[in-house]
Amino acid sequence: MPRCAGCTKEIEGQYVQALGRDWHPECFTCDICGIELQGGFHEHEGRKLCPSCYAERFAPRCAKCGKPITGQYATALGRTWHPDCLRCTGCNKLLEGESFHENDGKPYCTACFAERFRPRCTVCGASLKNRYNEDPWGNAYCPSHEKRPGLCDYCGRVMCE
């Protein structure tokens, strides 16, 4: 007769085989909270854990909400996120599967990033993307303003229209 790994008594009738040992169903319990492990369980460093205890102590945490991640997840900015938590910091748009930008460790959609962080043309106020010019005082302006009136002929400073 097999012996129970939990109570060491002989097992008669139904039993559970797990972790290379035999258990009475009522002895096959979570090593942390003690509930019976009737469904699935997690093994961590030789300990048997119910899904709740495993999630609370060992599952990765979402970078936005801080709750345990037990199902699907997204990895971005060197951190792990619930798919529904990976959203633009500016407009709350879902970013999963989309390209996005980062500022100060926070994700932003392309539109919000441009609105908040890209330099603006001193002449027309447009968001400046990849290529732009600067006058000697650090005022940024669109390349299209270079040949039009808008720069002072004497000092080269951008003049607002």
Side-chain angles (χ1 to χ4, degrees):
M1 284 255 179
R3 289 207 171 267
C4 177
C7 68
T8 68
K9 294 179 183 173
E10 285 188 2
I11 299 173
E12 294 179 22
Q14 291 187 342
Y15 63 97
V16 176
Q17 282 187 316
L19 304 173
R21 295 180 275 174
D22 301 322
W23 311 78
H24 289 111
E26 63 274 9
C27 293
F28 189 63
T29 59
C30 174
D31 288 338
I32 293 174
C33 72
I35 69 164
E36 234 178 89
L37 299 172
Q38 297 174 350
F41 73 98
H42 295 272
E43 184 271 332
H44 184 76
E45 297 177 352
R47 296 169 70 190
K48 52 194 190 319
L49 307 172
C50 69
S52 295
C53 287
Y54 178 81
E56 199 54 45
R57 287 167 178 79
F58 303 109
R61 300 276 172 171
C62 176
K64 182 172 184 178
C65 72
K67 293 180 181 172
I69 299 173
T70 57
Q72 291 186 333
Y73 62 92
T75 303
L77 307 175
R79 294 177 286 167
T80 309
W81 310 69
H82 288 111
D84 194 49
C85 287
L86 184 54
R87 294 180 171 271
C88 174
T89 303
C91 68
N92 206 36
K93 174 184 175 184
L94 189 62
L95 296 174
E96 184 184 25
E98 294 204 20
S99 62
F100 59 90
H101 304 273
E102 176 269 335
N103 187 59
D104 198 25
K106 297 175 183 170
Y108 290 88
C109 69
T110 300
C112 286
F113 185 82
E115 181 67 30
R116 292 171 184 233
F117 304 110
R118 284 206 174 119
R120 296 210 164 271
C121 177
T122 305
V123 177
C124 68
S127 176
L128 298 170
K129 294 191 171 111
N130 299 330
R131 190 174 156 266
Y132 58 90
N133 299 328
E134 282 188 6
D135 70 12
W137 292 268
N139 297 309
Y141 60 94
C142 301
S144 62
H145 298 305
E146 194 167 45
K147 298 193 186 273
R148 298 184 356 193
L151 296 179
C152 175
D153 290 332
Y154 178 72
C155 69
R157 181 174 255 177
V158 174
M159 297 185 305
C160 296
E161 297 180 281

